[in-house]
Amino acid sequence: MSVESSSQQDQLYQELNDLLHALLSDEQIQFCIDHRVAGVLEMQRFRETLSQVRRFMGVIGLAGSSNSDSLRQTFLRTLFDFSELVKRNCRHRRIRAMTKPIVAELEVQWEQLSNAYDDKTKEHAVLTRLIADAQLLKKAWRHSSQVESVLASILASSSSLSNSAHGSQPHSYYVAAIDRRNYAQLGLHRKSLGSRQIVFECARVTRQEQISAIVDICNRFQTIFMQNAQHNLVGIQSQLDLARPSQLARQLKQLYDRVFYQPGDNVDGEKAEEESEEEWWARQQQQQKRRQRALSYQGTVATARKTTTPFRLTLPMTTPSFVWYPRDQGDGEDDFPITALPAPSFVPAPWQWADLIRSRTPYHALFFGLIRKRKSPLYRGWARGRRRQQQQQQQQRSSSRIISTQRPSMTAGSGTEGETSESRIEEAEDLGGEQSHQLSDTIPNDTILACEQGEFATVSVEELSKHFSRVGHQFYEDVANNAKLGYRQDSRIIEGIGQDLIEIYTSLQLETLRLDLNRLMALGQEIANLQQQQQQQQQQQQIEQGDRIGYAQSASAAVISTHEGDPRPSVASM
C-alpha cells in the first residue's frame, strides 16, 4: 500500500466518521422523529445498525473479505432505506433539490432574515407598549379635571388679550367664580356654588356674539390639543413604520421560492409519482388550510367583512385570513396613516348650544335658596333703564355700520338718524305694546329674544370641559382603533414570518440530511473501491513478487544443473 492511497483512505474514513457522528447524535435522531421522517422504532433500528457498522468498520473494513462485503452491504442498504424516507418527506414538503453550496448560501440568508425578524419583534414589542399608552391616554380623556385647568388658562389669557386689544372697552364676557353672594344675582342654582361660569350680558351681547366668543375659545383649545396630539401621532406612526414587516416579508418570499417548489412547478421532473394530479391538488389545498390555521392569531377569523372609514372605527374590525406575502404597496406606506387623521372639531354642534348657553334671570334667594323671589319693581325699573341704555348703544353701533356702507352723501344725516332711533326707542318704552313693532324692525330679533328670556347668559366651565373631554376621548379612541388595526395586521404578518422561518429552517435541515446520507453512501462505496484497488494492487504485487521469485528459483536451478553436467577434472591433470 502506497503512502498516498493510505492518506486518502484515512481522510475518507475521517469524513465518514464525522458524518456518522452527526447523524447518530441525539439531536439529529430527535429531529427526525419530531418531523416525522421515521418513527421511534425505525430510528432506533437505524441507530443500532449504523453504530455496529461504525464499530466494525475500522476492524474488518468494507471490502476484501466476505465479512467486509456483508458489512458494506448492510451499511449501504441501511443508508438507502433511511435516504428514501428523507426523500419522501422532502417530496411531501415540496423542497427543491439543492447542492451543498446552495444550501450553505441559503442558510446564510436565513440567518440574516432571522436576525431581522428578531429586530422586528423587538420593535413590535415597543409598539405594543406604545398602543397600551394610547389606551391609557384615551382613558385619561374621560376625566375633565385637567381639561378644566387648561380651559381656565385659556379664559384668563383671552380676557387679558381682549382688554389689551380694546383698551378701556370691556370684553364680551366675564369669568365669574360662583359663591353665596353672586349665584342668585346671576340667576344660578345653589348647586352652582364653587363653579366657574362664563357670563354674558344679554342686552349688550347678542346670541350670535355669544356663540362666536365660545367658538373662539373652542378654536384656541383645539390649537393646544392638536399641538400635543400631533406629537403623539408622529410617535405612534414612526413606531408603526419601524415595526412594519413588509420589506422583511418580501425578502422572505424570495428565500421561500428558492427553497420550495411552487404549485405549478414539477417535482423531480414530474408531479408526485405515487399520486394523481387531482390527489396532488387536494393535498395542496389541505396544506394551505393547515397553514392558514397555523398562521392565524388567537381566535377564529370572522367571515363577514365590514366597510369602514379610516377615522371612525368604533365597531370591532375583522380582517381576512392572513396572506403571508402582503400586497405590494410600492414604498410600503399605510393606506390610512395615523398622521392623516383629521383634526377633531371642539365647536359644539347646533343642537348642543341650547344646553350649553343658558339664559339666567336674577332673583332673591330665601331659606338657603329653596325659595326664589323675583326682584322688586324698583330693581326692575333700574334694570329696564339699564337695558334701554344698552339697547340704544347697540342701535347706534348697528346704525353706524349701516351708514358706513352707504354713499358719502348720506353721512350728513347720520346724527338725525341716531336721534330718530333714540326717540323711537324712548317712545316704544313709554307707549308699550303699540310701538313694540317699530322696535322689532330696528333692534335685532336675537337680542330682543335674549332680553325676553333673561338678563344674563352663562356657560358652565365644567360643562364646556366635559364637552372637550368627550371630543378628545373620541379622537384618541379613533387613534387607538386605527393603530390597533395596523398593529393586528402586522402581528399576523410577523407571526406568519416566524412560522415560515421555522419551516424554511426545517426544510434546509432535511435537505442537508438528504445530502449527508448521499455523501455517506458515496463515501462507503469510495472506501470499498479504494480498498479493493489496494487489495488488487497487493495481489498484483504478490503475483509479480512470486513470479520474480519463481524466475530466480528457476534460473538458479538451471545454473546448478549446468554445473552438474560438466566432467570432473582428473588427479593427473591437477
Side-chain angles (χ1 to χ4, degrees):
M1 181 186 301
S2 64
V3 176
E4 182 180 356
S5 60
S6 177
S7 175
Q8 182 180 2
Q9 182 175 352
D10 293 339
Q11 292 178 358
L12 294 176
Y13 266 115
Q14 182 64 37
E15 183 179 358
L16 188 143
N17 286 326
D18 294 340
L19 290 176
L20 282 178
H21 178 75
L23 180 64
L24 300 177
S25 63
D26 296 337
E27 294 80 6
Q28 188 66 60
I29 297 297
Q30 190 62 41
F31 173 83
C32 295
I33 295 174
D34 292 341
H35 295 87
R36 299 180 181 180
V37 175
V40 178
L41 296 179
E42 288 180 306
M43 292 306 302
Q44 289 179 353
R45 181 172 61 83
F46 287 146
R47 188 175 192 176
E48 292 174 358
T49 302
L50 294 177
S51 298
Q52 292 178 359
V53 171
R54 183 185 181 188
R55 186 181 308 113
F56 292 107
M57 190 184 306
V59 179
I60 62 176
L62 296 177
S65 64
S66 59
N67 292 333
S68 299
D69 294 338
S70 177
L71 183 65
R72 184 181 72 256
Q73 292 298 329
T74 302
F75 177 64
L76 295 178
R77 184 170 56 252
T78 303
L79 290 177
F80 179 79
D81 294 340
F82 195 4
S83 176
E84 285 299 313
L85 293 176
V86 176
K87 286 181 181 179
R88 183 189 307 172
N89 194 288
C90 293
R91 188 182 303 113
H92 180 72
R93 293 172 180 268
R94 299 190 58 79
I95 302 174
R96 295 181 183 270
M98 292 173 275
T99 60
K100 272 285 187 179
I102 294 178
V103 172
E105 178 186 354
L106 296 181
E107 286 179 347
V108 171
Q109 293 183 10
W110 181 90
E111 186 69 24
Q112 294 174 353
L113 294 179
S114 180
N115 295 332
Y117 172 76
D118 293 338
D119 296 337
K120 288 296 180 182
T121 53
K122 293 178 182 178
E123 297 293 344
H124 199 68
V126 175
L127 180 60
T128 303
R129 294 193 296 269
L130 197 59
I131 291 179
D133 294 340
Q135 294 286 350
L136 295 176
L137 187 60
K138 181 185 72 172
K139 293 180 180 179
W141 273 93
R142 290 180 179 176
H143 309 286
S144 60
S145 57
Q146 296 182 354
V147 178
E148 189 170 354
S149 63
V150 175
L151 181 56
S153 177
I154 293 175
L155 292 173
S157 61
S158 298
S159 300
S160 61
L161 287 175
S162 179
N163 288 332
S164 62
H166 296 85
S168 60
Q169 296 181 1
H171 45 270
S172 60
Y173 61 85
Y174 304 91
V175 180
I178 307 305
D179 53 19
R180 295 179 181 272
R181 293 173 295 182
N182 61 7
Y183 78 95
Q185 296 175 359
L186 295 175
L188 298 170
H189 297 283
R190 187 177 178 85
K191 63 181 180 181
S192 300
L193 292 175
S195 65
R196 288 177 176 268
Q197 299 284 333
I198 302 174
V199 182
F200 297 95
E201 293 185 69
C202 296
R204 191 170 59 88
V205 183
T206 64
R207 183 74 170 182
Q208 188 60 39
E209 291 174 347
Q210 296 170 13
I211 293 176
S212 299
I214 300 300
V215 168
D216 181 68
I217 294 173
C218 295
N219 291 333
R220 295 194 63 187
F221 184 87
Q222 178 179 351
T223 302
I224 297 174
F225 176 85
M226 286 309 299
Q227 288 177 354
N228 295 307
Q230 195 66 26
H231 176 75
N232 297 329
L233 296 182
V234 170
I236 295 176
Q237 186 63 47
S238 299
Q239 193 59 39
L240 278 171
D241 294 338
L242 288 175
R244 183 169 295 112
S246 302
Q247 183 65 26
L248 177 60
R250 281 189 282 271
Q251 294 176 354
L252 187 63
K253 178 64 166 56
Q254 297 175 359
L255 178 61
Y256 192 92
D257 292 341
R258 294 188 62 184
V259 175
F260 298 99
Y261 285 105
Q262 299 306 307
D265 297 338
N266 292 333
V267 181
D268 294 333
E270 58 183 356
K271 291 183 180 177
E273 303 170 356
E274 67 278 0
E275 59 187 1
S276 63
E277 184 175 359
E278 291 78 8
E279 294 175 347
W280 182 84
W281 280 109
R283 180 170 58 81
Q284 291 300 316
Q285 293 177 358
Q286 292 178 358
Q287 290 180 358
Q288 183 67 19
K289 291 179 180 179
R290 289 196 298 269
R291 179 181 176 79
Q292 291 178 357
R293 287 196 298 268
L295 298 182
S296 61
Y297 65 97
Q298 296 179 354
T300 57
V301 178
T303 56
R305 300 182 183 179
K306 298 180 175 60
T307 302
T308 59
T309 62
F311 183 67
R312 193 67 193 154
L313 305 177
T314 54
L315 296 179
M317 277 295 298
T318 57
T319 55
S321 298
F322 171 71
V323 180
W324 86 275
Y325 179 56
R327 65 183 185 278
D328 190 6
Q329 295 180 350
D331 297 334
E333 297 180 354
D334 257 344
D335 289 339
F336 307 125
I338 291 181
T339 53
L341 288 175
S345 176
F346 289 89
V347 177
W351 58 85
Q352 293 177 317
W353 287 108
D355 296 330
L356 192 62
I357 302 179
R358 298 292 186 88
S359 297
R360 306 293 182 181
T361 301
Y363 64 91
H364 283 302
L366 301 177
F367 295 102
F368 305 100
L370 298 177
I371 298 177
R372 301 173 121 194
K373 184 179 179 181
R374 298 183 66 183
K375 293 291 184 178
S376 64
L378 180 62
Y379 174 80
R380 289 198 300 271
W382 173 83
R384 186 168 58 251
R386 178 175 174 80
R387 188 161 56 248
R388 183 187 301 114
Q389 181 182 3
Q390 293 172 349
Q391 289 172 357
Q392 292 175 358
Q393 294 176 356
Q394 178 70 22
Q395 179 63 21
Q396 290 177 359
R397 289 198 300 270
S398 62
S399 62
S400 62
R401 287 196 298 268
I402 295 173
I403 293 171
S404 62
T405 58
Q406 295 177 353
R407 292 179 300 178
S409 59
M410 300 295 295
T411 308
S414 62
T416 305
E417 295 229 359
E419 294 173 359
T420 303
S421 62
E422 291 178 4
S423 61
R424 188 178 300 173
I425 295 175
E426 292 175 356
E427 290 175 0
E429 287 291 337
D430 295 335
L431 296 178
E434 184 178 356
Q435 301 295 333
S436 60
H437 297 288
Q438 298 178 3
L439 276 172
S440 63
D441 296 337
T442 308
I443 303 176
N445 293 330
D446 54 358
T447 303
I448 297 175
L449 181 61
C451 293
E452 290 177 353
Q453 291 180 349
E455 298 181 11
F456 300 103
T458 61
V459 177
S460 174
V461 175
E462 182 181 0
E463 292 299 325
L464 189 58
S465 299
K466 289 180 180 179
H467 168 72
F468 290 165
S469 298
R470 287 191 296 269
V471 176
H473 173 77
Q474 179 178 341
F475 175 78
Y476 277 107
E477 183 181 4
D478 296 333
V479 170
N481 289 336
N482 194 307
K484 284 191 293 186
L485 177 61
Y487 171 82
R488 288 170 183 171
Q489 291 177 348
D490 292 345
S491 297
R492 291 168 61 83
I493 296 177
I494 288 177
E495 187 175 359
I497 289 175
Q499 295 287 342
D500 290 335
L501 284 172
I502 295 175
E503 186 176 356
I504 291 174
Y505 176 80
T506 302
S507 301
L508 291 177
Q509 293 299 311
L510 287 173
E511 183 63 18
T512 301
L513 177 60
R514 187 187 68 81
L515 294 174
D516 289 343
L517 290 173
N518 292 339
R519 180 57 181 166
L520 280 171
M521 289 187 288
L523 285 174
Q525 193 63 40
E526 287 181 11
I527 292 175
N529 294 336
L530 185 60
Q531 289 181 347
Q532 289 178 356
Q533 292 177 2
Q534 291 176 354
Q535 290 176 359
Q536 291 175 0
Q537 291 177 0
Q538 290 179 357
Q539 291 176 359
Q540 185 67 26
Q541 292 176 358
Q542 291 177 358
I543 292 174
E544 292 177 356
Q545 186 177 3
D547 293 341
R548 287 196 298 270
I549 293 174
Y551 178 77
Q553 290 178 354
S554 60
S556 61
V559 172
I560 293 173
S561 60
T562 303
H563 288 294
E564 290 179 351
D566 295 337
R568 294 182 178 180
S570 62
V571 177
S573 63
M574 293 176 64

